[in-house]
Amino acid sequence: MSRLTDMITNVGLQWIPLIYLFLCTIITGLSNAVALCMMLLSFIEVCAHTGGGILTYFWLRKDGKKTIYHPGFATSWMMFLPAGVYVAVHLEAVTGKDWLWALVLFVIMMMICIVLTETPLKKWVAKQEKGTFAFADAKYYEKYPSFWKK
């Protein structure tokens, strides 16, 4: 990952739901599917950042890491989780067709934001001058010497 690929992934995860919401005005009956797709994204964000925090805790506890905090952890718990719970509580009349469309929309969103972004761009970024798009430093992880060995 690099600053460029992270930026494209994060911007995509902002714009694609808006595009989906626009599609709801053209294709009627898609609104529950879009809401379910965003609910899935919310819950997966919580699981991914919590899992990442747990893994880094086990990897770095000998260096003094005392919590499962991980970059993105607070955002996932304070923003994504409440949003996902809100959608889950307030959705009505969800059908199997809604879930099917939600999964299709989710897969499309992940393909655009992660797979297509990371794979080709990672190769291109690697060919650029060293440091052009790379993370300049480990930021949060600088205080853990073992992080560089993982």
Side-chain angles (χ1 to χ4, degrees):
M1 297 182 91
S2 70
R3 285 188 175 119
L4 178 65
T5 58
D6 276 4
M7 188 260 322
I8 291 172
T9 299
N10 290 329
V11 168
L13 289 173
Q14 299 296 320
W15 283 98
I16 289 177
L18 295 175
I19 292 167
Y20 285 171
L21 290 173
F22 173 73
L23 288 175
C24 290
T25 63
I26 298 169
I27 305 169
T28 57
L30 198 57
S31 60
N32 272 357
V34 170
L36 288 169
C37 179
M38 295 303 100
M39 183 184 74
L40 284 173
L41 173 66
S42 295
F43 293 146
I44 288 172
E45 281 287 318
V46 172
C47 292
H49 287 290
T50 303
I54 291 168
L55 284 174
T56 56
Y57 168 75
F58 284 114
W59 288 339
L60 302 173
R61 67 181 167 188
K62 65 183 170 292
D63 288 333
K65 187 160 176 52
K66 294 179 179 24
T67 68
I68 63 168
Y69 176 80
H70 182 67
F73 183 85
T75 306
S76 67
W77 278 88
M78 291 190 286
M79 296 176 72
F80 281 107
L81 183 62
V85 169
Y86 179 85
V87 170
V89 168
H90 288 88
L91 267 180
E92 295 178 359
V94 176
T95 65
K97 183 180 172 185
D98 293 331
W99 277 106
L100 179 64
W101 272 109
L103 292 173
V104 168
L105 293 171
F106 187 79
V107 167
I108 291 169
M109 185 169 62
M110 292 300 105
M111 291 295 292
I112 292 170
C113 292
I114 297 172
V115 178
L116 294 177
T117 301
E118 290 296 332
T119 305
L121 274 180
K122 191 181 289 184
K123 291 177 184 174
W124 181 78
V125 166
K127 293 177 186 176
Q128 303 307 307
E129 182 179 327
K130 189 161 179 67
T132 303
F133 296 109
F135 291 105
D137 54 51
K139 298 201 186 296
Y140 173 76
Y141 293 104
E142 283 180 336
K143 56 190 164 196
Y144 304 112
S146 293
F147 178 73
W148 297 106
K149 297 175 188 173
K150 300 294 172 207

